[in-house]
């Protein structure tokens, strides 16, 4: 597999400084206010949530295909709770797939949550899942 790269540059002190994060086609500004308050810009926690949402969605789609189902779409949101560290991430996913019973779907979704690569990298964080068929 290829090595993925990201970079960040911070200018100044913690409270009044500013920075920029870049990876792939994304480039975003971040500040103390965008991380610890409700300021404009992004923050590392949002990027972790996006990474987990993307990884989980792909993993779930793959697991459904392996089980004989063909998903039409998977939309996942991540709420990253950042209070003195990232202690919990709540995933919520809505999947359009036909012909599957909810109990089997829940089992497959839970397996995808536990086994996606980003979930494994976040092993010290509680990751909850609410999965819904649409």
């Amino acid at each position: 597999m290829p090595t993925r790269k990201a970079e960040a540059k911070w200018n100044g002190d913690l409270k009044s400084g500013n920075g920029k994060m870049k990876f792939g086609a994304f480039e975003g500004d971040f500040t103390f206010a965008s991380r610890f308050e409700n300021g404009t810009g992004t923050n590392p926690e949002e990027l972790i949530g996006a990474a987990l949402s993307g990884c989980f969605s792909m993993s779930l789609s793959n697991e459904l295909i392996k089980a004989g189902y063909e998903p039409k779409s998977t939309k996942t949101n991540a709420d990253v709770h950042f209070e003195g560290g990232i202690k919990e991430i709540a995933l919520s996913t809505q999947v359009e797939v036909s012909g599957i019973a909810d109990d089997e779907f829940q089992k497959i979704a839970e397996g995808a949550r536990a086994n996606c690569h980003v979930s494994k990298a976040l092993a010290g964080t509680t990751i909850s899942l609410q999965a819904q068929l649409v």
Side-chain angles (χ1 to χ4, degrees):
M1 293 204 106
T3 300
R4 302 298 182 203
K5 297 181 182 277
E7 67 179 63
K9 181 177 181 186
W10 185 258
N11 303 301
D13 64 51
L14 177 63
K15 289 248 181 176
S16 64
N18 62 70
K20 189 171 292 285
M21 291 185 258
K22 288 179 17 176
F23 63 90
F26 174 84
E27 184 171 325
D29 297 325
F30 68 114
T31 63
F32 180 89
S34 70
R35 186 166 191 206
F36 299 105
E37 299 168 353
N38 288 320
T40 305
T42 191
N43 55 67
E45 292 73 30
E46 286 176 336
L47 300 177
I48 288 170
L52 179 58
S53 294
C55 182
F56 169 79
S57 293
M58 293 176 76
S59 179
L60 179 54
S61 178
N62 185 53
E63 292 303 315
L64 287 165
I65 292 285
K66 288 181 358 185
Y69 301 99
E70 192 169 325
K72 291 183 182 174
S73 69
T74 302
K75 179 183 177 189
T76 305
N77 297 315
D79 291 337
V80 180
H81 300 276
F82 181 57
E83 296 174 25
I86 300 171
K87 307 259 194 274
E88 178 187 354
I89 302 174
L91 291 178
S92 173
T93 191
Q94 298 81 38
V95 181
E96 187 177 352
V97 59
S98 57
I100 188 170
D102 189 61
D103 60 337
E104 183 178 7
F105 170 69
Q106 295 298 327
K107 182 180 175 185
I108 292 170
E110 183 55 35
R113 183 208 57 81
N115 293 308
C116 96
H117 297 295
V118 175
S119 289
K120 289 180 177 181
L122 296 170
T125 301
T126 300
I127 301 171
S128 62
L129 173 63
Q130 179 184 18
Q132 177 184 14
L133 289 168
V134 293

